[in-house]
Amino acid sequence: MADNDKIIEIEVLRYRPEQDKEPFFQSYQVPFTDDMSVLEGLQYIKDQLDGTLSFRWSCRMAICGSCGAMINGIPKLGCKTFLREYYPRKLRVEPLAHFPIERDLVVGVEDFIGKLERIKPYIVPKEPRTLAQGEYLQTPAQLERFLQFSSCINCMLCYAACPQYGLDSNFIGPGVLALLHRYNADSRDGARAQRMELVNAEEGVWSCTAVGYCSEVCPKGVDPANAVNQNKTASAMDYFLRFVQPRGASR
Amino acid sequence: MSARRPYVRSMDGWWRRNPFFIVYMIREGTAVALQSPWSLAFHLVLLVSFIYHTWSWFSIMPKTMPMILIGGRKLQPGVITGAGLAVSAVVCAALFLLVMKLAS
């Protein structure tokens, strides 16, 4: 690195379970150029300053969802956030909120993964279908109803943003409910009735109080708040019409 | 034997840590007024007095306004009162619809 590089102070929340009683902040002086992301700053720390720093990352292009962290208290992707935005002030990096800390910036994701698996995140055909019938056909309007919700990269920033999830982790949460809605809203799918059981539960949409911060922090424009709150109407309709008509077909 | 010892952070003061949440709490706080029966009763009393105030205002307006002549004839008191009340009703309805639209 050249001598006239700017130096930014990055303060990271450290936690080594085998030696630390509780988390503590450690500061590093990181030389940077204007094109460096926070992720690259962490990589500099690990490569040049402190090899013990632990953090998740993979694609470095905002598609894998691995590098989420609290950057100055706001859930962001490290690869999509730039050091130049914070200079000359210092940068504080902490693990994603509302998740237990395993080590340094690595959080426990079992709860989130378990919830993803519970919602049947795949197309369940409405009736058996043969190869000879060919592919499903969809109009642009049918695509529009679910397309944005399919953009989710499972980065969990919305869970770090959601205070209801932070207060009670039984809540299924914004990202998983958005994915659930992606399948319910898909004209090819026929499993709406089974998914509605999860939606209607207390830990489904009814734990949401429309804070809206989840949609604010989503790096892919999924708008999970909309997915969740659309399903409050769907859930209420299901309840009041449960004796009137069979529910099961998606629209 | 696993060396894992996950650390769970406290949620104390969560809404004070971010301006977005402070605004959210203010929004939720406005619902508290609706919870109290006294507050609701107070607002109903205000609504009744506002309606009576409007009625009495337009009732006395023909006396407080200078005479208006249209086509040589005096503008009738009933017309003045009626027009005033009609405009008030329309404006109130429009405002109500606007608020309902914004709140949806």
Side-chain angles (χ1 to χ4, degrees):
Chain A
M1 293 267 176
D3 284 331
N4 52 2
D5 274 344
K6 294 173 288 194
I7 311 262
I8 190 170
E9 181 184 340
I10 301 183
E11 200 179 50
V12 186
L13 192 69
R14 304 297 311 273
Y15 175 66
R16 285 82 49 97
E18 67 278 359
Q19 60 191 160
D20 298 325
K21 191 164 177 297
E22 50 185 41
F24 63 98
F25 281 104
Q26 185 165 356
S27 271
Y28 303 94
Q29 303 296 322
V30 177
F32 74 102
T33 49
D34 280 346
D35 58 344
M36 272 174 69
S37 61
V38 171
L39 173 63
E40 288 175 287
L42 293 174
Q43 288 168 331
Y44 179 87
I45 295 171
K46 190 170 179 75
D47 289 346
Q48 310 287 347
L49 301 177
D50 183 350
T52 66
L53 182 63
S54 301
F55 52 95
R56 287 193 176 110
W57 67 280
S58 183
C59 73
R60 94 261 187 273
M61 61 185 213
I63 196 64
C64 73
S66 303
C67 66
M70 304 302 280
I71 296 175
N72 282 5
I74 297 176
K76 290 189 178 177
L77 295 178
C79 65
K80 209 181 175 202
T81 311
F82 293 90
L83 295 171
R84 63 177 184 256
E85 284 168 36
Y86 299 90
Y87 184 78
R89 304 175 78 116
K90 81 175 173 196
L91 188 63
R92 173 173 274 208
V93 184
E94 295 166 272
L96 277 182
H98 311 151
F99 290 100
I101 310 179
E102 289 289 342
R103 164 180 243 95
D104 293 341
L105 298 176
V106 177
V107 294
V109 299
E110 292 98 333
D111 185 51
F112 177 72
I113 301 295
K115 287 174 169 142
L116 270 182
E117 293 168 352
R118 276 165 61 192
I119 60 155
K120 295 191 193 311
Y122 42 84
I123 303 261
V124 176
K126 288 186 188 143
E127 64 254 324
R129 201 176 164 88
T130 64
L131 267 179
Q133 285 173 278
E135 72 275 31
Y136 286 101
L137 296 179
Q138 277 187 322
T139 64
Q142 287 174 316
L143 185 66
E144 183 72 11
R145 286 176 53 79
F146 72 87
L147 188 63
Q148 80 180 68
F149 305 112
S150 69
S151 303
C152 178
I153 62 174
N154 296 346
C155 66
M156 307 189 313
L157 296 192
C158 55
Y159 285 76
C162 176
Q164 296 300 346
Y165 178 72
L167 292 164
D168 180 5
S169 61
N170 283 322
F171 178 32
I172 291 179
V176 171
L177 286 169
L179 187 65
L180 184 156
H181 182 68
R182 175 253 175 279
Y183 286 101
N184 279 0
D186 192 326
S187 57
R188 300 170 287 185
D189 174 83
R192 187 181 179 279
Q194 291 115 298
R195 295 197 195 97
M196 286 311 285
E197 284 176 32
L198 286 166
V199 168
N200 298 339
E202 185 61 37
E203 59 269 18
V205 297
W206 299 108
S207 286
C208 169
T209 58
V211 176
Y213 198 43
C214 55
S215 293
E216 187 86 0
V217 303
C218 177
K220 304 305 270 184
V222 172
D223 197 1
N226 183 227
V228 174
N229 286 281
Q230 273 194 62
N231 279 289
K232 283 183 184 168
T233 314
S235 179
M237 292 282 283
D238 263 21
Y239 180 78
F240 289 114
L241 297 175
R242 65 195 185 281
F243 301 124
V244 175
Q245 53 186 269
R247 314 294 293 175
S250 63
R251 288 172 222 112
Chain B
M1 185 62 216
S2 171
R4 289 175 66 183
R5 197 164 60 89
Y7 185 88
V8 176
R9 288 163 283 181
S10 165
M11 281 294 281
D12 281 352
W14 64 268
W15 58 272
R16 286 189 285 264
R17 288 183 223 140
N18 187 318
F20 195 100
F21 296 146
I22 295 177
V23 171
Y24 163 74
M25 288 304 258
I26 292 172
R27 182 192 93 187
E28 296 294 288
T30 58
V32 173
L34 292 174
Q35 270 195 331
S36 156
W38 292 107
S39 169
L40 213 48
F42 175 63
H43 279 85
L44 279 170
V45 166
L46 283 181
L47 180 64
V48 168
S49 31
F50 157 72
I51 292 172
Y52 180 71
H53 176 86
T54 307
W55 169 270
S56 55
W57 179 280
F58 289 118
S59 295
I60 202 68
M61 196 153 114
K63 306 244 181 322
T64 58
M65 274 176 55
M67 193 185 290
I68 297 177
L69 292 172
I70 297 183
R73 290 182 64 229
K74 175 179 110 167
L75 184 61
Q76 294 299 299
V79 173
I80 296 172
T81 303
L85 290 175
V87 168
S88 303
V90 166
V91 169
C92 277
L95 257 176
F96 181 73
L97 287 171
L98 178 67
V99 168
M100 289 300 281
K101 184 168 184 294
L102 285 172
S104 67

